[in-house]
């Protein structure tokens, strides 16, 4: 009946690429999510992000209120304004979620991350690593004749900058906690 | 303890299937008479039956299944209920707590598997918490946007005795907002007062909000005189015989409804979610309108279409406030513009997009449904469907006057939904005429439930539009894939009359249009389950149709329109 022929390869794109968005500009937002501290709650939050195709740049979680059974999850995510709004609404729908705060829009906030860097080397490089660590206020928490472990806290871009400097000096291993954040003032 | 909690929740019917991990609960069920247990033939059937029961009665449906395979068989039903916001409570057995994680016999990570397909779920490891969790589960399933919940109960927790928590008003932190923001409501009323080309676009949310919401909707529609259309899920909230009814909208919706959606200047979305079956191409969706969106779930708002007037709240509460404010401001509408708008709509209506001619000796599926409608409309009637062309024809050719009388799988599109759902509906309404409009392929997916219908004397009528094709798949292959009908034949079909008889049910076959009325009457008058094999035109297409990736005003009305309609971009869409 219909003579329509689809060219081979014409259907290789995902349908989801065709979906228009309100604004194409992606923004980075830090969300603080207060959740019931119960088994599986982290899986619910992570499952939401993977199931709906949202980004997670970093995620930290720990109990913050023992008597109230509340944990705080701090998520740094990337998305268009519409996607960010969806993420917040979808998080709010999870029955175990008590509160969702977008620290990026709710006024000024402070963000900190802790990281550990193992740097191996000898001679000048070793001296230079130690000197830079001092400038960045990183502490030496372990040392051998051929390595240091530095501990550093700060905003994520400070840690990125430190990592960039350590790389040519023998950076061997990195561990980062992800961002914890609080609003400023009261 | 479990049975006591269910009784306290007002449960009268449980759909289930036993197994090792739920034996203690089945033992409790054996020793009481307050709750009726319907033994299904497959756990998927139990969940769909509970969905049908919930939709037709407005009460949550309840299922009880065993661990492992019992729980995994329930997954399709749970997903279906999540997509269509149906409140059901599923209890699953689990291996004893001390064996969890050991790959024990019939162990599955049930809460893990069902986390994305439930509104919420619980694994209860202490007997003392069991009754409290069951009460909370009913609260979560029904509060806010309804949905399925699951409680996984290890066998040792079922055996142990614990303290029973009686039913108290919920202290849960989960209390969704039901009242809409008055400022937004006033803004909407102001828009109602001046709109030139308004339209109500309603969805399943109206039905979920309860019969009161449908009542308020009727009042608002009739008082303003605005046209109204509805999604598949919302049929019946406004009566099909109502003066302002335009019929269903969407991919297979009516011409007038889709054209009016495209051209309107004020769209009032009440409890619908701008699903892709409704919007068609998003950037061409109703380009000239101001859009108000009323929904109890904040995540529905701005998910797909940007709302100019977003109102988060329960449809019933919000409609009540809209009416109050609109009346207090003097019941104003733009009468002259409305009259013009209606004359435009009458023009679209005169296209008569559902017309068909029954000629020759083969029954057209549309004709079969038109006759079914004529012969059953005066009955206390409930309609279920399977998924496919027959489902769309049922939505087009059957008329729904009241809410809760139309049970269909909308969001997930689950073949095999309708038959078990009809069993659930009949349990909720034992005296009513319950009909499942089915395709032969869908019906076979849960045909084992004929045993259930027989065992419990449930006189459900299975009206199969048998085109010996996976009709909807075939239609897409015709339009999109150069008529290469890859595996869309229903081969090796059973003799449905003999199949019915094998279960002790009645079978009827009909292929001649002249015999159709008598055969339908025979089906209605038979006191017991009937399998009606209605042999219909095999290559009939379902129109109107908005092809994927097209706008509302690019609708196909019939075969003549189908030449080269779906471009490569549209063909990747489902
Ligand atoms: C469980 C499931 N599998 C596959 C599909 C895809 N599908 C949609 S409609 C359809 C054909 C249905 O055939 P039938 O029940 O005979 O109905 P008809 O379209 O012929 O009226 C199929 C295979 C589905 N919706 N559900
Ligand atoms: Mg068929």
């Amino acid at each position: 009946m219909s003579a329509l022929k689809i060219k081979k390869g014409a259907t290789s794109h995902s349908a989801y690429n065709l979906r228009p968005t309100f604004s194409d500009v992606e923004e980075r937002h830090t969300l603080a999510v207060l959740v019931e501290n119960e088994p599986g709650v982290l899986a619910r939050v992570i499952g939401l992000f993977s199931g709906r195709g949202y980004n997670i740049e970093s995620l930290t979680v720990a109990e913050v209120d023992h008597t109230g059974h509340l944990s705080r999850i701090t998520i740094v995510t990337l998305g268009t304004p519409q996607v960010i709004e969806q993420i917040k609404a979808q998080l709010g729908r999870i029955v175990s979620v008590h509160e969702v705060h977008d620290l990026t829009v709710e006024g000024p906030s402070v963000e900190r991350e802790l990281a550990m860097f193992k740097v191996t080397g000898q001679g000048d490089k070793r001296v230079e690593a130690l000197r830079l660590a001092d400038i960045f206020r990183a502490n030496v928490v372990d040392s051998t004749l051929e390595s240091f472990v530095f501990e550093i806290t700060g905003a994520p871009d400070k840690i990125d900058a430190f990592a960039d400097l350590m790389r040519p000096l023998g950076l061997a291993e990195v561990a980062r906690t992800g961002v914890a954040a609080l609003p400023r003032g009261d | 303890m479990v049975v006591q909690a269910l009784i306290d929740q007002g449960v009268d019917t449980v759909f289930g299937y036993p197994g090792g991990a739920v034996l203690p609960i089945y033992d409790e069920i054996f020793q009481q008479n307050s709750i009726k247990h319907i033994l299904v033939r497959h756990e998927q059937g139990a969940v769909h039956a509970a969905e049908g029961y919930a939709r037709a009665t407005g009460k949550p449906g309840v299922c009880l299944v065993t661990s492992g395979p019992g729980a995994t068989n329930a997954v399709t039903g749970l997903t279906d209920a999540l997509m269509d916001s149906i409140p059901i409570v599923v209890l699953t057995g689990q291996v004893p707590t001390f064996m969890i994680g050991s790959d024990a016999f019939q162990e599955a990570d049930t809460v893990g598997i069902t986390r994305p397909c439930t509104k919420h779920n619980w694994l209860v490891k202490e007997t003392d918490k069991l009754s409290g969790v069951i009460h909370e589960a009913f609260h979560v399933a029904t509060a806010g946007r309804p949905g399925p919940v699951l409680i996984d109960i290890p066998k040792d927790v079922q055996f142990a005795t614990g303290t029973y928590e009686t039913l108290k008003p919920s202290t849960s932190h989960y209390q969704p907002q039901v009242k809409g923001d008055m400022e937004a409501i006033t803004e909407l009323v102001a828009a109602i007062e001046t709109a030139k080309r308004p339209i109500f676009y309603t969805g399943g949310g109206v039905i979920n909000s309860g019969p009161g919401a449908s009542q308020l909707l009727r009042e608002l529609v009739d008082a303003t005189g605005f046209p109204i259309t509805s999604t598949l899920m919302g049929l019946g909230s406004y009566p099909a015989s109502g003066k302002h009814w335009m019929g269903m909208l969407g991919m297979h919706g009516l011409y007038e409804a889709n054209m009016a959606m495209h051209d309107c200047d004020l769209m009032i979305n009440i409890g619908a979610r701008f699903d892709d079956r409704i919007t068609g191409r998003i950037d061409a969706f109703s380009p000239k309108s101001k859009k108000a969106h009323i929904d109890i779930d904040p995540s529905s708002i701005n998910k797909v279409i940007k709302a100019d007037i977003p109102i988060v709240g329960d449809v019933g509460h919000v409609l009540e406030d809209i009416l109050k404010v609109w009346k207090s401001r003097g019941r104003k509408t733009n009468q002259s513009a409305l009259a013009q708008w209606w004359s435009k709509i009458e023009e679209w209506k005169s296209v008569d997009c559902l017309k068909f001619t029954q000629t020759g000796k083969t029954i057209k599926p549309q004709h079969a449904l038109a006759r079914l409608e004529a012969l059953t409309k005066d009955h206390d009637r409930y309609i279920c469907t399977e998924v496919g062309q027959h489902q769309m024809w049922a939505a087009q050719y059957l008329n729904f006057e009241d809410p809760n009388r139309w049970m269909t799988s909308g969001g997930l599109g689950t073949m095999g939904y309708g038959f078990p759902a009809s069993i659930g509906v009949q349990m909720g309404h034992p005296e009513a005429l319950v009909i499942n409009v089915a395709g032969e392929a869908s019906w076979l997916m849960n045909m084992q439930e004929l045993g259930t219908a027989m065992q419990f004397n449930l006189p459900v009528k299975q009206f199969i539009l048998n085109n010996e094709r996976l009709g909807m798949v075939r239609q897409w292959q015709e339009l999109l894939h150069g008529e290469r009908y890859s595996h869309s034949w229903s081969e090796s079909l059973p003799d449905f009359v003999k199949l019915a008889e094998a279960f002790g049910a009645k079978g009827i076959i009909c292929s001649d249009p002249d015999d159709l009325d008598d055969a339908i009457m025979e089906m209605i008058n038979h006191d017991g389950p009937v399998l009606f094999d209605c042999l219909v035109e095999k290559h009939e297409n379902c129109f109107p149709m908005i092809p994927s990736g097209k706008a509302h005003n690019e609708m196909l009305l019939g075969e003549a329109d189908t030449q080269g309609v779906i471009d490569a971009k549209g063909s990747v869409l489902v």
Side-chain angles (χ1 to χ4, degrees):
Chain A
M1 219 167 288
S2 144
L4 184 82
K5 297 274 188 298
I6 306 289
K7 251 196 303 181
K8 226 179 151 194
T11 58
S12 63
H13 296 289
S14 157
Y16 300 98
N17 296 342
L18 300 176
R19 204 167 133 179
T21 45
F22 293 91
S23 153
D24 296 342
V25 187
E26 293 207 326
E27 298 171 355
R28 177 175 285 102
H29 283 241
T30 304
L31 309 178
V33 189
L34 277 181
V35 299
E36 198 88 24
N37 184 14
E38 62 186 15
V41 65
L42 188 59
R44 286 182 209 284
V45 171
I46 293 174
L48 171 71
F49 277 76
S50 62
R52 292 185 184 263
Y54 305 141
N55 297 306
I56 297 182
E57 294 233 310
S58 97
L59 185 145
T60 62
V61 56
E63 187 178 67
V64 290
D65 176 357
H66 187 67
T67 47
H69 295 287
L70 290 179
S71 291
R72 186 181 178 106
I73 302 178
T74 308
I75 307 170
V76 180
T77 182
L78 200 67
T80 61
Q82 190 204 3
V83 167
I84 300 281
E85 287 311 307
Q86 257 303 298
I87 292 174
K88 288 189 269 181
Q90 293 290 351
L91 283 168
R93 263 177 99 184
I94 298 177
V95 173
S96 341
V97 168
H98 286 239
E99 287 172 45
V100 181
H101 292 283
D102 185 342
L103 299 179
T104 307
V105 298
E106 288 177 16
S109 59
V110 273
E111 297 191 353
R112 286 293 177 271
E113 192 180 352
L114 184 143
M116 294 204 277
F117 292 86
K118 180 178 284 179
V119 180
T120 55
Q122 288 168 325
D124 288 351
K125 285 190 175 173
R126 190 171 153 85
V127 177
E128 180 62 6
L130 203 57
R131 199 181 67 83
L132 286 168
D134 193 39
I135 295 170
F136 274 78
R137 297 182 205 286
N139 298 320
V140 177
V141 290
D142 178 64
S143 65
T144 67
L145 290 175
E146 278 159 24
S147 71
F148 288 121
V149 174
F150 297 116
E151 171 211 65
I152 178 170
T153 52
D157 47 353
K158 172 178 163 186
I159 293 173
D160 290 344
F162 187 65
D164 288 344
L165 291 172
M166 287 301 121
R167 208 158 286 124
L169 300 178
L171 183 58
E173 234 180 311
V174 184
R176 295 174 72 150
T177 59
V179 171
L182 281 179
R184 286 178 191 270
D186 44 26
Chain B
M1 165 132 30
V2 171
V3 170
Q4 189 54 49
L6 295 180
I7 292 171
D8 286 355
Q9 285 289 343
V11 174
D12 52 22
T13 309
V14 169
F15 303 92
Y17 206 90
V22 278
L23 285 177
I25 301 177
Y26 270 88
D27 206 29
E28 281 189 70
I29 285 180
F30 189 80
Q31 300 174 48
Q32 55 84 46
N33 284 317
S34 330
I35 293 182
K36 225 183 263 151
H37 178 274
I38 303 300
L39 178 71
V40 294
R41 299 301 188 263
H42 185 292
E43 289 85 354
Q44 185 188 354
V47 187
H48 292 323
E51 285 186 90
Y53 176 91
R55 248 189 246 209
T57 63
K59 295 195 291 182
V62 181
C63 300
L64 174 59
V65 301
T66 193
S67 66
T72 54
N73 274 348
V75 165
T76 302
L78 288 166
T79 311
D80 191 88
L82 185 72
M83 291 289 267
D84 285 346
S85 307
I86 309 301
I88 55 171
V89 177
V90 176
L91 307 173
T92 51
Q94 183 54 280
V95 301
T97 46
F98 52 86
M99 291 177 81
I100 288 178
S102 69
D103 296 327
F105 178 62
Q106 294 195 330
E107 179 181 359
D109 176 8
T110 301
V111 284
I113 291 169
T114 61
R115 201 171 284 129
C117 61
T118 52
K119 186 174 172 188
H120 198 66
N121 61 16
W122 294 262
L123 168 63
V124 182
K125 289 186 171 170
E126 295 150 68
T127 308
D128 280 346
K129 293 204 170 141
L130 184 54
S131 51
V133 167
I134 294 176
H135 296 320
E136 169 79 359
F138 276 84
H139 168 69
V140 170
T142 53
R145 179 175 179 174
V149 299
L150 180 143
I151 311 170
D152 200 23
I153 316 173
K155 196 170 181 181
D156 54 335
V157 174
Q158 298 171 34
F159 263 126
T161 48
T163 43
Y164 180 74
E165 223 178 274
T166 51
L167 184 57
K168 298 185 281 278
S170 168
T171 52
S172 165
H173 81 94
Y174 181 75
Q175 306 290 348
Q177 172 187 343
V178 293
K179 290 288 270 184
D181 174 47
M182 280 317 276
E183 219 168 283
I185 287 173
T186 311
E187 194 186 341
L188 172 56
V189 168
I192 287 175
E193 288 168 345
T194 55
K196 294 194 177 97
R197 298 183 309 279
I199 187 169
F200 285 110
Y201 148 45
T202 59
V206 183
I207 300 197
N208 277 337
S209 179
S214 290
Q215 217 43 56
L216 290 161
L217 176 73
R218 288 159 192 227
E219 191 186 338
L220 182 64
V221 172
D222 293 339
T224 54
F226 290 0
I228 174 168
T229 179
S230 163
T231 66
L232 182 73
M233 300 307 295
L235 295 177
S237 52
Y238 185 83
S241 61
K243 226 174 98 197
H244 304 105
W245 177 240
M246 287 196 300
M248 179 175 79
L249 82 162
M251 183 174 271
H252 292 292
L254 271 65
Y255 182 68
E256 50 269 39
N258 285 331
M259 291 303 280
M261 282 290 277
H262 188 266
D263 280 3
C264 67
D265 72 342
L266 173 65
M267 178 187 297
I268 308 168
N269 172 341
I270 310 180
R273 58 183 177 90
F274 294 113
D275 178 87
D276 54 72
R277 302 290 96 162
I278 298 302
T279 58
R281 204 173 94 214
I282 287 180
D283 54 6
F285 175 69
S286 192
K288 287 164 275 186
S289 62
K290 179 174 234 185
K291 297 172 185 77
H293 189 178
I294 304 166
D295 203 301
I296 196 154
D297 178 358
S299 78
S300 286
I301 288 173
N302 290 338
K303 180 170 68 178
V304 182
I305 297 290
K306 177 132 184 49
D308 302 296
I309 311 176
I311 302 176
V312 175
D314 168 59
V315 166
H317 285 83
V318 174
L319 282 174
E320 201 177 345
D321 286 338
I322 292 175
L323 271 164
K324 229 183 269 166
V325 176
W326 180 68
K327 284 178 186 166
S328 73
R329 289 166 52 125
R331 299 167 158 267
K332 288 187 291 258
T333 55
N334 187 341
Q335 299 280 344
S336 60
L338 258 185
Q340 268 183 33
W341 180 224
W342 270 108
S343 69
K344 186 86 205 158
I345 292 170
E346 291 306 329
E347 239 171 73
W348 289 324
K349 275 191 177 172
S350 67
V351 167
D352 196 8
C353 68
L354 294 183
K355 72 170 171 287
F356 65 91
T357 19
Q358 171 64 48
T359 51
K361 278 310 225 182
T362 312
I363 301 174
K364 284 218 176 221
Q366 299 94 325
H367 178 66
L369 287 166
R371 294 316 303 155
L372 184 71
E373 167 69 13
L375 297 170
T376 62
K377 66 169 191 270
D378 296 326
H379 285 73
D380 176 16
R381 181 188 79 176
Y382 292 81
I383 301 284
C384 300
T385 77
E386 303 288 346
V387 170
Q389 291 180 316
H390 63 275
Q391 176 190 30
M392 293 298 117
W393 282 317
Q396 292 171 339
Y397 291 92
L398 303 179
N399 290 328
F400 300 95
E401 295 297 317
D402 292 299
N404 304 96
R405 289 185 175 258
W406 164 246
M407 278 44 68
T408 193
S409 171
L412 195 63
T414 312
M415 292 171 70
Y417 164 87
F419 184 17
S422 70
I423 287 175
V425 175
Q426 192 83 70
M427 276 309 295
H429 300 283
E431 302 304 325
L433 174 63
V434 180
I435 303 170
N436 175 34
V437 176
E440 81 294 337
S442 294
W443 193 82
L444 288 175
M445 282 211 177
N446 271 322
M447 57 161 272
Q448 74 286 347
E449 300 305 331
L450 199 46
T452 313
M454 287 308 294
Q455 181 183 347
F456 295 92
N457 288 319
L458 299 167
V460 289
K461 313 300 184 211
Q462 304 302 311
F463 192 69
I464 300 177
L465 294 177
N466 185 352
N467 52 12
E468 298 175 17
R469 299 289 181 278
L470 311 182
M472 192 57 98
V473 173
R474 190 206 55 73
Q475 177 168 347
W476 280 59
Q477 288 173 336
E478 180 186 317
L479 298 177
L480 270 117
H481 295 274
E483 293 172 72
R484 291 181 296 280
Y485 297 131
S486 180
H487 297 272
S488 55
W489 258 264
S490 289
E491 301 270 8
S492 307
L493 283 172
D495 176 331
F496 284 104
V497 173
K498 279 195 188 143
L499 180 67
E501 285 165 4
F503 279 90
K506 183 178 180 63
I508 298 175
I509 185 164
C510 181
S511 59
D512 187 334
D514 295 335
D515 300 339
L516 187 58
D517 279 22
D518 288 345
I520 291 176
M521 288 312 294
E522 190 185 347
M523 171 182 88
I524 298 171
N525 292 329
H526 178 72
D527 183 19
V530 177
L531 198 47
F532 191 116
D533 185 11
C534 187
L535 300 175
V536 296
E537 183 75 52
K538 298 185 201 316
H539 277 214
E540 191 70 20
N541 281 331
C542 184
F543 292 112
M545 176 179 184
I546 304 176
S548 291
K550 294 284 178 181
H552 277 178
N553 57 356
E554 298 175 284
M555 215 172 318
L556 313 180
L557 289 174
E559 299 297 346
D561 292 339
T562 59
Q563 296 300 318
V565 285
I566 302 178
D567 53 21
K569 213 173 168 193
S571 68
V572 298
L573 298 165
V574 287

